[in-house]
């Protein structure tokens, strides 16, 4: 596993909420709800206009949580998320241009991989901890097991189709450090400001991780 302390925190938590935020006003209470449930990491995806402001707000107002920028696909976004306060970055795929920008920014990066060719590019660049995306659509645990044959040095964070019902299958694999999932922060709970539901889902996920890891 990567030596970066941020990656170690992802591993320790076991589950990473993948969050889409449309309204900056929900950023702080959402992050606090996750913390109350025992999850101290959050991935803010850059899929909405409010995402960057939400990322910056959480990074500065809820420092107890590890703020990860997700869906980073261009070099320009790398500098933007660093300025906003992101402590780590996740991408859906691998790009040499983004890789160079990440090195210049000196931020931990989990590029996305789904095939052996993706893994070869990541390994060649020294990126040994990657996002496996889209996990279920790319073959799930069977594909991860197959990839670990030629790439035993790699570690993964499967994301895409992961839920409370199958996260145990992924975490049972020694090459998996954590899983990412949107089920932890459902859109209806956010719309209704139902932070108790977010806290409960976070608690259930953390308890599942703890039970699996003994």
């Amino acid at each position: 596993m990567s030596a970066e302390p941020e990656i170690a925190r992802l591993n320790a938590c076991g589950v990473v909420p993948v969050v889409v935020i449309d309204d900056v006003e929900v950023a702080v209470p959402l992050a606090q709800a996750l913390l109350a449930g025992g999850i101290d990491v959050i991935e803010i995806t850059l899929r909405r206009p409010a995402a960057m402001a939400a990322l910056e707000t959480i990074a500065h107002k809820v420092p107890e949580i590890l703020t990860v920028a997700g869906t980073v696909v261009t070099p320009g976004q790398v500098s933007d998320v660093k300025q906003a306060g992101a402590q780590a970055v996740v991408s859906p795929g691998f790009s040499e241009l983004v890789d160079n920008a990440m090195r210049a920014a000196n931020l931990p990066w989990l590029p996305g991989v789904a095939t052996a060719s993706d893994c070869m590019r990541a390994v060649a660049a020294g990126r040994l901890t990657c996002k496996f995306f889209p996990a279920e659509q790319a073959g799930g645990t069977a594909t991860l097991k197959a990839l670990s044959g030629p790439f035993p040095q790699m570690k993964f964070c499967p994301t895409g189709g992961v839920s409370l019902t199958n996260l145990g299958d992924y975490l049972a694999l020694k090459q998996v450090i954590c899983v990412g999932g949107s089920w932890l922060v459902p859109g209806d709970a956010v719309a209704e400001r139902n932070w108790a539901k977010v806290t409960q889902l976070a608690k259930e996920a953390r308890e599942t991780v703890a039970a699996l890891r003994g």
Side-chain angles (χ1 to χ4, degrees), residues 48-73:
R48 298 288 193 274
M52 201 67 71
L55 176 70
E56 184 171 17
T57 298
I58 293 173
H60 289 85
K61 294 188 177 181
V62 194
E64 306 97 316
I65 201 163
L66 180 74
T67 309
V68 181
T71 324
V72 173
V73 297

Side-chain angles (χ1 to χ4, degrees), residues 192-211:
E192 297 165 6
R193 308 303 198 258
N194 188 350
W195 307 128
K197 181 176 181 179
V198 173
T199 294
Q200 181 59 35
L201 290 170
K203 184 179 179 182
E204 288 175 357
R206 285 291 295 134
E207 288 175 346
T208 300
V209 171

